Amino acid sequence: MSASQTSDVPTLLVKIFGKDRPGITAGLFDTLAAYSVDVVDIEQVVTRGRIVLCALVTKPADGGEGELRATVHSWAESLKLQAEILSGTGDNRPRGSGRSHVTVLGHPLTAESTAAIAARITATGGNIDRIFRLAKYPVTAVEFAVSGTETEPLRTALATASAQIGVDVAVVSAGLHRRAQRLVVMDVDSTLIQDEVIELFAAHAGCEAEVAEVTERAMRGELDFEQSLHARVALLAGLDASVVDKVRAEVQLTPGARTLIRTLKRLGYQVGVVSGGFTQVTDDLRERLGLDFAAANTLEIVDGKLTGKVTGEIVDRAGKARLLRRFAAEADVPLSQTVAIGDGANDLDMLNAAGLGVAFNAKPVVREAAHTAVNVPFIDAVLYLLGITREEIEAADLA
């Protein structure tokens, strides 16, 4: 039946709840089949071994509603289940315009924080249609399907709430695009990897403290990135080129990095990195991790020594956004279908240009400007923002 055909049709909402076991769903519909009813809607949830099964069906055409009720109750009692049957008319209430997915990450996710998020959704005029758990470890991730309010005002309201109550919240518009092929582009230093690459080089040059101070000021947005890059690289002049292999060996991936990339690739996503660091490291990461794109600055090496200069186009704040657009064009992915992940002020243009910009354990100025923030130490938590469940991640690992 079409929506218009079911709007005035008498219906029954059959609710079954109790201890779950195999065969309950089949048993209920076998019971209902004897009364030649049409199924209008079905929903089933199992939580800690307890099932809630709802079936919205048309009333029996021959006036056998009383017999149907008695039979369903008898069947439920035989399985030590409870049944409730409610009369009504038509289908479910139409959902309001404007639909979004709200993903909440907690470590832990408390009742207080969940209540605050739900209240803020209600305050924006939104209605929670469904709630679904995406993951129970290493963080708890749940997704709310919300209707009745537009995505942008909902995102703004929940960004404020998330900062106040200490959970991560991402809001994306609902639609087929969420399942479409996409492009994910990450910053490298303190995002894909735990290190700042220039500081690893500086440790070999004996100037780590000086470089770290300049790096921190640049990431806070207090210094022009290009000027700070040249100043830091100048301190590396004279280092033997053999230090490149040592730095590559010292690089530590962020927890969950391999899982993130492996899962995205298996789902058909394309993955790239852009870095204010150096191609001497990003090219190695591209090969090791099977990345589709990689771009960074290049340390100049002459006669086996670092000259203290960089060559080629500088990858700075504007350059990262430019590269995101270039990668998207090469991947034949609309910019609206891109995801950018970063932690520093020089990632902001890229985060704002992407369809979804994720601030990962970022500086305050970046968290405030990005679409959403992830503040847990596992970068694969970004997968939950894309609606990918922990079970799907584990299943991909077994494939």
Side-chain angles (χ1 to χ4, degrees), residues 156-168:
T156 300
L158 291 179
T160 304
S162 67
Q164 293 171 344
I165 63 181
V167 296
D168 298 332

Side-chain angles (χ1 to χ4, degrees), residues 283-302:
D283 287 350
D284 181 61
L285 290 171
R286 178 175 183 170
E287 183 176 346
R288 286 166 52 195
L289 300 175
L291 302 172
D292 299 285
F293 305 99
N297 302 299
T298 299
L299 291 169
E300 184 179 66
I301 298 175
V302 177

Side-chain angles (χ1 to χ4, degrees), residues 59-371:
K59 285 187 179 182
D62 58 1
E65 178 184 341
E67 184 181 343
L68 180 150
R69 287 173 175 269
T71 303
V72 169
H73 279 288
S74 176
W75 166 80
E77 288 173 7
S78 72
L79 295 177
K80 298 182 179 180
L81 299 169
Q82 292 179 283
E84 182 180 5
I85 304 175
L86 304 174
S87 295
T89 302
D91 200 344
N92 304 303
R93 177 175 59 87
R95 295 182 185 177
S97 61
R99 298 185 187 180
S100 304
H101 297 288
V102 177
T103 306
V104 180
L105 307 180
H107 190 54
L109 180 62
T110 66
E112 181 181 11
S113 59
T114 305
I117 293 296
R120 192 61 61 93
I121 291 171
T122 301
T124 64
N127 184 71
I128 300 171
D129 299 319
R130 286 189 176 90
I131 304 176
F132 179 73
R133 187 179 71 184
L134 296 167
K136 61 182 178 180
Y137 74 92
V139 299
T140 301
V142 295
E143 181 176 286
F144 295 75
V146 177
S147 64
T149 188
E150 297 302 321
T151 297
E152 285 307 317
L154 181 61
R155 177 182 288 160
T156 300
L158 291 179
T160 304
S162 67
Q164 293 171 344
I165 63 181
V167 296
D168 298 332
V169 181
V171 182
V172 298
S173 59
L176 289 175
H177 65 273
R178 201 176 189 215
R179 292 295 183 184
Q181 184 184 43
R182 298 171 82 171
L183 169 68
V184 177
V185 176
M186 289 174 276
D187 173 45
V188 175
D189 293 9
S190 299
T191 301
L192 179 63
I193 66 174
Q194 300 179 56
D195 317 277
E196 291 287 334
V197 167
I198 197 165
E199 293 178 11
L200 296 179
F201 277 101
H204 292 279
C207 58
E208 186 175 12
E210 296 94 321
V211 165
E213 181 182 356
V214 178
T215 298
E216 184 63 24
R217 293 180 65 191
M219 290 299 99
R220 292 197 301 263
E222 297 173 5
L223 293 175
D224 173 80
F225 178 81
E226 184 171 349
Q227 290 178 333
S228 69
L229 176 67
H230 288 303
R232 288 175 291 174
V233 171
L235 296 169
L236 307 180
L239 267 180
D240 192 275
S242 62
V243 77
V244 169
D245 289 334
K246 295 177 183 178
V247 167
R248 286 175 172 174
E250 292 166 353
V251 164
Q252 300 179 77
L253 294 174
T254 297
R258 288 187 182 277
T259 299
L260 172 66
I261 295 169
R262 181 172 61 244
T263 304
L264 291 171
K265 296 291 290 179
R266 287 175 175 171
L267 290 172
Y269 286 59
Q270 297 187 63
V271 185
V273 294
V274 292
S275 176
F278 310 111
T279 57
Q280 282 83 356
V281 171
T282 58
D283 287 350
D284 181 61
L285 290 171
R286 178 175 183 170
E287 183 176 346
R288 286 166 52 195
L289 300 175
L291 302 172
D292 299 285
F293 305 99
N297 302 299
T298 299
L299 291 169
E300 184 179 66
I301 298 175
V302 177
D303 296 330
K305 301 286 185 181
L306 274 65
T307 66
K309 299 178 182 179
V310 292
T311 63
E313 180 184 4
I314 298 297
V315 179
D316 56 6
R317 176 170 169 165
K320 287 188 173 185
R322 196 162 52 244
L323 287 161
L324 171 70
R325 293 186 176 93
R326 184 188 304 170
F327 293 168
E330 292 178 14
D332 197 24
V333 172
L335 201 60
S336 61
Q337 293 297 104
T338 62
V339 179
I341 310 168
D343 75 299
N346 66 327
D347 297 314
L348 276 174
D349 288 4
M350 174 177 73
L351 298 181
N352 289 326
L356 177 64
V358 181
F360 179 70
N361 291 318
K363 311 299 184 291
V365 66
V366 182
R367 291 200 302 269
E368 292 168 7
H371 296 138

